[in-house]
Amino acid sequence: MSDPFYYPSANEPYIEATMGCVLVGDNLEVDDETLCRIAGPVPVPLKVLTACGDLISAVSNVPTATPAALPLGEQGQWLATTFLTPIGLQWSYMPDEKIFVSGDQFTAKGDLLIGNGCTRPLEQTATALPVGTAGQLLSSDPTAPLGVKWCTNNYYFSQGQKILASGDNNIPIEVGGSTADILLYNSACPAGWAGCFGKNYLVPNCTQFASLVVGYSPDLSSCFYPFPAQNGYVLTSDSFCALNLKYTEPVTGNYQTPGQTVTIEDSGIPVDEWDEIPGTAFPSGSQVFVQTTISMSVINFNQSGYYTLCQGNSVSPQTCWSYYYISVGLGITPERATSISYIIPSWDASCPLTFKVYEDGTNSYYKIRFQTSAFALQP
């Protein structure tokens, strides 16, 4: 039985078997409903063969092979190994000259072969596309015979100092200018932009020495702002001005009180206050730094409270004080020194700076010394 195929009951080569018969090769035999090797049975159920032309293969060999049928292919196909199917086999079309690229199709330097897009392999062909001219780009075009074509490079700059803007039909257009030009939008231009002499648009009103050009609005991009007549004025922001800027007299100088000593004996009120710096010391809106140094002792009673500075709507953080009475000499506790420092963000020229002492009770027996200093930070 060395012939490639035989029919079990005929004991001779038999190729054209009837439906239901199984053709087997050397070292194989049919045993009831399974296909086995003569040297050692490895049963394969014949029921995996469900259609005419089915071939038996295996899905894997770990731990044992799993039989599987490979359906019959189409006419003209041939059996080939592959990693793309579970059983490692597939039917493919027999290669011929129609699905190979012929060297004769490359007729010139730079030729490209473009496929015809056919889905059936025997009908697939490739056509040479000649190389384009210098500077052209390969671009897709469904209307072109091959689906692609060489086209002029719209993004190629013929010279330096150029930019591109999208014009009509989204075609890039070069935009350039000359020395000192700026790019200015103009809807009448094909690209929407044009190079224009910069100083004609940026500083048309800047004719006075040391004057400023200030941004105003999208439709009025600049506005003339003259230099102040007064020497020493500074430029400050002001939201109430048309340009949000103004020249103002700088805030300078400082103010310091001479200091005073006050003894409070049973005032009967929880707060005592003293005006330290007059409102006229600084212009309204100025930013002012203030500091008050304090030295205090209590008389005969345990007392506590806090200090604070007030100027218009601005109030400093509270600085707490507390004394536990210990009889010393005439019944006065030793003095303790502290200070309050803070920045008034906007000075109110109509109000004085006031130093206040709050007490948690109404005994109010204490002796206090205080002095306040202030200086302007900015207008």
Side-chain angles (χ1 to χ4, degrees), residues 212-363:
L212 300 178
V213 176
V214 183
Y216 185 69
S217 67
D219 53 347
L220 294 173
S221 58
S222 62
C223 184
F224 173 65
Y225 196 60
F227 194 74
Q230 300 88 345
N231 289 333
Y233 270 39
V234 295
L235 191 65
T236 60
S237 61
D238 188 340
S239 59
F240 294 101
C241 296
L243 300 179
N244 289 334
L245 292 172
K246 69 176 181 180
Y247 282 107
T248 60
E249 184 179 1
V251 177
T252 59
N254 54 69
Y255 195 98
Q256 186 176 53
T257 64
Q260 56 182 309
T261 300
V262 179
T263 300
I264 302 297
E265 296 182 3
D266 194 14
S267 64
I269 57 176
V271 58
D272 297 295
E273 59 183 79
W274 299 269
D275 291 344
E276 284 289 270
I277 298 177
T280 56
F282 303 100
S284 290
S286 303
Q287 191 179 86
V288 180
F289 173 82
V290 296
Q291 182 180 50
T292 298
T293 57
I294 307 163
S295 179
M296 182 180 181
S297 63
V298 302
I299 305 172
N300 297 331
F301 295 98
N302 299 332
Q303 299 181 56
S304 62
Y306 64 90
Y307 314 117
T308 188
L309 292 171
C310 302
Q311 210 288 314
N313 295 325
S314 178
V315 180
S316 71
Q318 298 174 359
T319 301
C320 297
W321 57 270
S322 177
Y323 289 85
Y324 180 74
Y325 171 71
I326 301 176
S327 179
V328 177
L330 299 177
I332 301 176
T333 60
E335 291 187 6
R336 298 176 187 171
T338 186
S339 66
I340 304 174
S341 300
Y342 91 113
I343 295 175
I344 300 171
S346 180
W347 183 269
D348 185 350
S350 65
C351 300
L353 175 73
T354 302
F355 172 61
K356 295 184 179 183
V357 179
Y358 291 82
E359 191 219 341
D360 297 334
T362 56
N363 292 327

Side-chain angles (χ1 to χ4, degrees), residues 48-115:
V48 301
L49 301 174
T50 59
C52 178
D54 282 356
L55 296 179
I56 297 176
S57 184
V59 175
S60 80
N61 56 4
V62 179
T64 58
T66 302
L70 175 67
L72 184 65
E74 297 180 4
Q75 183 175 354
Q77 287 186 313
W78 57 286
L79 193 62
T81 59
T82 179
F83 293 103
L84 302 178
T85 64
I87 62 176
L89 297 172
Q90 71 173 7
W91 290 104
S92 301
Y93 285 98
M94 184 68 69
D96 58 26
E97 67 279 0
K98 291 185 178 181
I99 59 173
F100 282 92
V101 175
S102 172
D104 295 337
Q105 292 175 283
F106 293 92
T107 58
K109 180 180 179 180
D111 280 356
L112 296 176
L113 289 184
I114 311 297

Side-chain angles (χ1 to χ4, degrees), residues 9 16 19 45 86 105 121 139 167 177 180 183 194 203 219 230 240 250 282 376 379:
S9 61
E16 298 179 358
M19 287 293 293
Q105 292 175 283
S139 176
L183 198 61
V203 286
D219 53 347
Q230 300 88 345
F240 294 101
F282 303 100

